[in-house]
Amino acid sequence: MATQTDKEQTVNVIERLLKTDIGGFLYQQQIGSLHGRIFRSMQGLIRILKLTFLEFMPIFFTAIAAIIIAFLQKPLLASVMILVIPTGLFLIVKQISSQKGIRVALLRGKERVDGKVVEMLGGIETIRVLNTAPFEVNKVEAIAESQRRIEMRHHVYMALFDATKYLNEAFFYIIVIVLSIYLASQGVISRGDILVYSILFLSITNPLREIHKILDQAHESSIQVNDLYNLLNQPLDVSFNKNGLNLRIRSGIKQPVISAKNLYFSYADKEGILKNISLQIKRGEHIGIVGVSGCGKTTFIHILLKLVHGNKGEMYLFNEKLQDISRETIAEKIAYVPQKPFIFSGTIKANILYGCHREISEDELIEGAKNARILGEIQGALGGFSGRVTENGNNLSGGQRQRLAIARVMLQSPELIIFDEATSALDNTNEAIIQQNIERVFKGKTIISIAHRLTTLKSADRILVFDAGKIIQEGNFDSLSKTKGLFQDFLLQRNKVEAKK
Ligand SMILES: Nc1ncnc2c1ncn2[C@@H]1O[C@H](COP(=O)(O)OP(=O)(O)O)[C@@H](O)[C@H]1O
Ligand SMILES: [Mg+2]
């Protein structure tokens, strides 16, 4: 039963986490901390199950049996003896409630270490180059030291409570012995009975002590189970919300592909990221977006992909309200290459086919890789389509990671294709050829490219110039280069830089 529960709950928690609000709960956690919490909380659940069925139940019935035997044999003394139970329970309740805060703090401390370690491993190259290992070790040590202090305090409390529990038992033991000696001296019971009472008393206190121990451990686990409960009850991201219409658009895409009216957006901790954006994008248009770093380009795309929520104003996708569009439709109709593509440990082939729901022939796979200009490397140094990719694609170059992600979208059949600085790590030649391939493969489809280099936008039908969350200019490359404004400034700056070279 425990293993089955373990499996089920692991699956449930992971499923839930993959569907929670990205900007809310998930981004506020460190990955390592979350991982630590998931698996510790699972252990807590398993432990509580084992404690209940394998330890508590048998010992509980032993204790009940001991009490019944005591009552059957010596009712008078038994009623004195069992007074040890409420006082003992009172102490354990006190112990548990006083330790709750400490136990939660210890768990959170462990998660801080987990989070720190995973974060550090992700930055190992920088740590090595900056030689900041001692600094990082100090940080972990500081957390470990504060953990040690809390743990020490915990042990002191536990020892005190244990001592009190023993005193409680001893107190009643003495009462039982004194009482039985008195009764023996009065001739009510025989002298041999003194020993019987003593044994009876111990037959109650031994299981009681075990029960205390189990309750204490169960309490520790219950805090973890509470964490598990909280993880399982994280609210679903609103894009999974069944209250929306959840429109699944299969065919017959309605125009305009994208339409926004007076769109405003703020992050919880940052105001005015997008301001009064109004635009329409028709089917088949090739739109370029430019603007300085941090002006809100990616945020606009994230709103469109329903990754972030809470925008004011109206946003339509395929002429339906964005909030009514299902995740399935977004997955089927939009292909997206993010700034930092998701490359995972596995084969090259698995990475390219990721998210593709139809059968892909060998020829198509080769064609996709070729269009993304990575076929040569795959067939060469990368060891073929079954070549290994390590976590985050760490054994690949930045450009290879980007081209794998581009090969991935080449195999999809979307209506709308979005590139967010997707070729930033590529050389000009590769970038230009990939761009031509994209235009050929996705002929007639809507393409949005957030540009890293302005030259890539020469063939765009329309360029939107973003500045501080607003669209301040709009037009094609030629018209914008002839008009005074931010776009022309960008071009002039680039020309100056090139002239210096
Ligand atoms: N998840 C987030 N939470 C809070 N602020 C964010 C988040 N993502 C981006 N920002 C902020 O929003 C602004 C716009 O970011 P972004 O849309 O990524 O810019 P761009 O893609 O144009 O470089 C930046 O100031 C950035 O710091
Ligand atoms: Mg960006």
Side-chain angles (χ1 to χ4, degrees):
M1 183 185 73
T3 47
Q4 181 67 15
T5 310
D6 195 0
K7 188 194 101 182
E8 277 170 16
Q9 294 307 322
T10 306
V11 171
N12 286 345
V13 165
I14 302 306
E15 192 178 8
R16 193 77 191 187
L17 283 182
L18 289 179
K19 287 187 166 182
T20 62
D21 177 14
I22 295 180
F25 178 72
L26 281 185
Y27 275 6
Q28 281 154 22
Q29 316 289 320
Q30 281 181 302
I31 299 285
S33 305
L34 204 50
H35 176 268
R37 184 177 301 186
I38 292 171
F39 290 96
R40 256 190 290 277
S41 65
M42 214 72 72
Q43 279 166 3
L45 177 67
I46 301 304
R47 186 141 156 255
I48 226 165
L49 287 175
K50 285 190 173 154
L51 283 173
T52 310
F53 293 103
L54 300 180
E55 299 193 26
F56 182 77
M57 294 291 196
I59 213 82
F60 180 72
F61 289 115
T62 314
I64 296 285
I67 292 168
I68 291 172
I69 291 169
F71 266 100
L72 288 178
Q73 294 201 345
K74 315 281 172 189
L76 173 66
L77 267 169
S79 23
V80 176
M81 279 178 200
I82 59 159
L83 287 178
V84 75
I85 296 174
T87 49
L89 278 180
F90 172 77
L91 285 172
I92 183 95
V93 167
K94 276 274 158 207
Q95 179 177 21
I96 285 175
S97 56
S98 74
Q99 294 311 292
K100 177 155 192 227
I102 292 189
R103 283 183 160 148
V104 171
L106 280 172
L107 272 177
R108 296 297 163 260
K110 281 183 188 158
E111 287 166 13
R112 269 163 64 214
V113 176
D114 295 335
K116 192 72 220 142
V117 169
V118 171
E119 194 176 46
M120 261 164 31
L121 290 176
I124 184 77
E125 291 171 4
T126 307
I127 292 172
R128 186 73 42 93
V129 173
L130 292 178
N131 202 22
T132 47
F135 173 71
E136 295 296 335
V137 171
N138 280 345
K139 277 202 267 188
V140 174
E141 195 177 0
I143 306 175
E145 171 60 20
S146 92
Q147 283 287 94
R148 194 189 61 84
R149 281 167 198 241
I150 301 174
E151 193 116 34
M152 285 303 291
R153 221 170 63 210
H154 179 56
H155 287 319
V156 169
Y157 274 115
M158 294 301 275
L160 281 176
F161 272 108
D162 282 343
T164 321
K165 279 188 280 185
Y166 282 117
L167 282 178
N168 174 49
E169 280 172 29
F171 174 73
F172 282 97
Y173 192 50
I174 290 167
I175 288 187
V176 167
I177 299 290
V178 167
L179 197 60
S180 47
I181 289 173
Y182 173 75
L183 291 176
S185 73
Q186 297 295 308
V188 182
I189 56 171
S190 72
R191 276 203 210 138
D193 277 348
I194 298 175
L195 188 64
V196 176
Y197 282 115
S198 163
I199 290 169
L200 273 180
F201 182 77
L202 292 181
S203 72
I204 293 177
T205 53
N206 281 344
L208 193 62
R209 213 176 284 166
E210 280 299 308
I211 286 176
H212 285 175
K213 216 165 76 193
I214 294 168
L215 285 179
D216 185 51
Q217 289 175 1
H219 174 250
E220 192 163 25
S221 307
S222 77
I223 296 174
Q224 294 165 337
V225 171
N226 189 46
D227 281 344
L228 182 65
Y229 177 82
N230 285 335
L231 288 173
L232 284 170
N233 282 284
Q234 277 304 316
L236 286 181
D237 185 272
V238 297
S239 64
F240 292 102
N241 198 340
K242 297 285 179 265
N243 294 336
L245 283 177
N246 227 15
L247 281 180
R248 186 157 184 176
I249 298 171
R250 290 176 197 275
S251 55
I253 295 293
K254 283 190 246 160
Q255 296 255 38
V257 172
I258 297 168
S259 154
K261 267 189 218 136
N262 309 330
L263 187 74
Y264 284 83
F265 181 79
S266 298
Y267 287 107
D269 55 349
K270 260 183 235 139
E271 292 274 310
I273 301 294
L274 294 179
K275 296 174 214 138
N276 202 17
I277 302 260
S278 294
L279 57 83
Q280 287 214 342
I281 297 176
K282 291 197 293 285
R283 190 173 193 181
E285 263 194 300
H286 184 175
I287 300 289
I289 298 181
V290 295
V292 294
S293 170
C295 70
K297 306 179 296 293
T298 298
T299 303
F300 177 71
I301 298 301
H302 281 184
I303 292 174
L304 188 66
L305 297 170
K306 298 180 84 166
L307 291 174
V308 298
H309 314 285
N311 49 289
K312 297 203 181 75
E314 292 173 26
M315 183 86 153
Y316 292 85
L317 181 60
F318 309 130
N319 209 24
E320 303 284 354
K321 278 196 177 131
L322 185 63
Q323 73 240 40
D324 294 336
I325 300 271
S326 66
R327 291 240 65 96
E328 287 84 0
T329 294
I330 291 183
E332 281 164 19
K333 300 293 176 212
I334 305 183
Y336 167 55
V337 185
Q339 275 175 296
K340 274 195 283 170
F342 173 50
I343 302 295
F344 53 88
S345 57
T347 61
I348 301 256
K349 183 172 172 181
N351 269 281
I352 295 181
L353 292 187
Y354 189 70
C356 192
H357 296 299
R358 62 189 177 93
E359 279 296 312
I360 297 287
S361 69
E362 192 69 21
D363 286 348
E364 277 179 293
L365 185 62
I366 290 176
E367 182 68 15
K370 197 168 151 197
N371 283 332
R373 299 279 291 170
I374 192 162
L375 183 64
E377 278 144 282
I378 291 176
Q379 287 172 337
L382 297 181
F385 282 100
S386 56
R388 299 305 301 174
V389 176
T390 59
E391 192 176 40
N392 293 322
N394 282 335
N395 62 340
L396 304 175
S397 77
Q400 285 169 337
R401 288 196 283 270
Q402 286 190 335
R403 280 174 291 149
L404 272 190
I406 293 170
R408 189 182 287 165
V409 304
M410 290 286 187
L411 297 177
Q412 298 174 2
S413 18
E415 278 298 323
L416 169 63
I417 305 99
I418 301 172
F419 295 96
D420 190 351
E421 305 193 2
T423 49
S424 58
L426 301 186
D427 55 277
N428 289 341
T429 320
N430 264 326
E431 186 177 47
I433 299 174
I434 288 177
Q435 202 184 344
Q436 283 167 14
N437 292 344
I438 288 168
E439 281 164 19
R440 180 171 40 81
V441 171
F442 298 117
K443 199 169 169 55
K445 308 290 179 193
T446 313
I447 303 177
I448 300 178
S449 326
I450 298 182
H452 169 69
R453 293 190 191 91
L454 298 179
T455 43
T456 58
L457 298 179
K458 279 198 171 137
S459 61
D461 299 313
R462 197 148 48 108
I463 299 170
L464 311 173
V465 184
F466 274 57
D467 188 40
K470 289 188 189 142
I471 298 180
I472 57 160
Q473 280 187 293
E474 205 178 316
N476 66 18
F477 192 92
D478 280 343
S479 72
L480 284 176
S481 24
K482 288 178 196 135
T483 319
K484 265 202 178 328
L486 195 59
F487 191 82
Q488 207 180 47
D489 295 346
F490 287 154
L491 274 179
L492 290 174
Q493 272 163 18
R494 194 188 54 126
N495 291 343
K496 261 193 228 157
V497 174
E498 306 237 309
K500 272 189 194 156
K501 276 188 191 164

